[in-house]
Amino acid sequence: MSFCLCGSNVPADSCCAPILAGVQKAVTAEALMRARYCAYVQADIDFLSNSLHPEHRDDHDIEATRQWAESSQWLGLQIISTAQGGADDPQGEVEFIASFKEKGVVHQHHEQSFFSKLDGEWFFVDG
């Protein structure tokens, strides 16, 4: 048994792995945020692109996303706070810090992310 890369201390098969595999939808905005972090760790660019809200895909730079994901060593995810984003909410916010190392330097990406539901499915809007 291996724990999920998102830092939840839950086995991957019970956390982000089913979401990343497409066999389960994220139930909350936080669950999608955690799965997106795992997608960066695994350089799963398709998941990152597909979990982006359709209205925000036009200016999505797939190659820049791939470059960042592949050139970074992902060190951990810390969820700071959530607002709304529950199973019955239409939108939500997740504040997080993702730590990573790039070119030997440790960085912390601190972001307030916004999520929205479309046809019952959570999508990342922007951060």
Side-chain angles (χ1 to χ4, degrees):
M1 170 184 70
S2 61
F3 288 106
C4 193
L5 298 170
C6 76
S8 64
N9 292 321
V10 173
D13 290 344
S14 300
C15 194
C16 294
I19 298 169
L20 290 165
V23 297
Q24 178 181 319
K25 300 293 182 192
V27 177
T28 65
E30 181 179 339
L32 181 58
M33 178 65 247
R34 289 181 176 281
R36 285 178 57 82
Y37 173 81
C38 292
Y40 274 102
V41 173
Q42 298 172 345
D44 186 344
I45 308 309
D46 287 340
F47 182 85
L48 291 167
S49 296
N50 293 333
S51 62
L52 184 61
H53 194 283
E55 293 178 5
H56 297 269
R57 292 179 184 170
D58 287 344
D59 61 351
H60 177 57
D61 189 336
I62 292 173
E63 286 311 311
T65 301
R66 182 183 319 282
Q67 172 65 26
W68 188 31
E70 291 177 351
S71 68
S72 299
Q73 177 188 359
W74 298 92
L75 305 174
L77 175 68
Q78 178 186 6
I79 302 295
I80 305 297
S81 66
T82 60
Q84 297 182 331
D88 296 326
D89 294 320
Q91 49 193 328
E93 300 176 25
V94 179
E95 181 180 3
F96 69 92
I97 298 173
S99 300
F100 64 99
K101 186 185 287 188
E102 189 174 40
K103 297 180 182 175
V105 178
V106 174
H107 301 275
Q108 291 191 328
H109 179 78
H110 188 170
E111 182 175 302
Q112 181 79 24
S113 290
F114 299 93
F115 297 83
S116 182
K117 266 190 184 172
L118 179 64
D119 297 327
E121 184 174 349
W122 283 107
F123 289 94
F124 171 71
V125 175
D126 66 18

